[in-house]
C-alpha cells in the first residue's frame, strides 16, 4: 500500500514559480514510477509529468516542456514538481500518482488527494 500526500500548491501570478511536493509512505516507493496529473474545472484529468523509479528517465506533456521539472528523492520518499513561468492555463488541481513496478506512470495504482494551483493573469 502506498499513500501519497501533496503539498506546495497556492496562488501565484503569471510568470511566477511554485514547487509541489508529494510525500509517499510505504517501502515500495523506490520501485514505483511517479507522476503528476492535473485537472482544470470542466476538463478531464491530464498527464503532466512522470519519472522512472530510479529517476533516470523523465517524461513531460507538451504544454509544460521546458517550464516544469519533475524530480525525486528516494531517501526522502518524495517526488517534486518544479513549475516555472506559470501561465493562467496551468490553473488546476494537481495530483500525485504512483505506478508500481513500472518505468513510467500510465495507469496509476495510487493517487494523492490533490493540491490546488491557481495562476492569476
Amino acid at each position: 500500500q502506498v499513500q501519497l500526500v501533496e503539498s506546495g500548491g497556492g496562488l501565484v501570478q503569471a510568470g511566477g514559480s511554485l514547487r509541489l511536493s508529494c510525500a509517499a509512505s510505504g517501502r515500495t516507493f523506490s520501485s514505483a514510477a511517479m507522476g503528476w496529473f492535473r485537472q482544470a474545472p470542466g476538463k478531464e484529468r491530464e498527464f503532466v509529468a512522470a519519472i522512472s523509479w530510479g529517476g533516470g528517465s523523465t517524461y513531460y506533456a507538451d504544454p509544460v516542456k521546458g517550464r516544469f521539472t519533475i524530480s525525486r528523492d528516494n531517501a526522502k520518499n518524495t517526488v517534486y514538481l518544479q513549475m516555472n513561468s506559470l501561465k493562467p492555463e496551468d490553473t488546476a488541481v494537481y495530483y500525485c500518482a504512483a505506478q508500481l513496478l513500472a518505468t513510467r506512470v500510465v495507469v496509476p495504482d495510487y493517487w494523492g488527494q490533490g493540491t490546488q494551483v491557481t495562476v492569476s493573469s
Side-chain angles (χ1 to χ4, degrees), residues 26-42:
R27 295 181 295 174
T28 55
F29 175 79
S30 61
S31 63
M34 301 296 297
W36 290 93
F37 291 71
R38 66 187 182 186
Q39 187 167 19

Side-chain angles (χ1 to χ4, degrees), residues 6-89:
E6 302 98 332
S7 62
L11 174 63
V12 63
Q13 289 188 331
S17 298
L18 282 175
R19 188 176 83 154
L20 305 183
S21 299
C22 173
S25 64
R27 295 181 295 174
T28 55
F29 175 79
S30 61
S31 63
M34 301 296 297
W36 290 93
F37 291 71
R38 66 187 182 186
Q39 187 167 19
K43 296 187 177 181
E44 294 187 352
R45 191 172 299 188
E46 63 178 5
F47 169 77
V48 174
I51 187 167
S52 60
W53 66 270
S57 297
T58 56
Y59 311 87
Y60 297 94
D62 286 343
V64 307
K65 282 182 180 177
R67 300 188 298 122
F68 290 11
T69 302
I70 188 170
S71 61
R72 67 189 294 163
D73 185 340
N74 285 347
K76 295 182 178 180
N77 278 13
T78 302
V79 62
Y80 305 96
L81 185 68
Q82 178 67 44
M83 305 185 294
N84 299 328
S85 302
L86 282 162
K87 305 175 181 180
E89 51 263 44

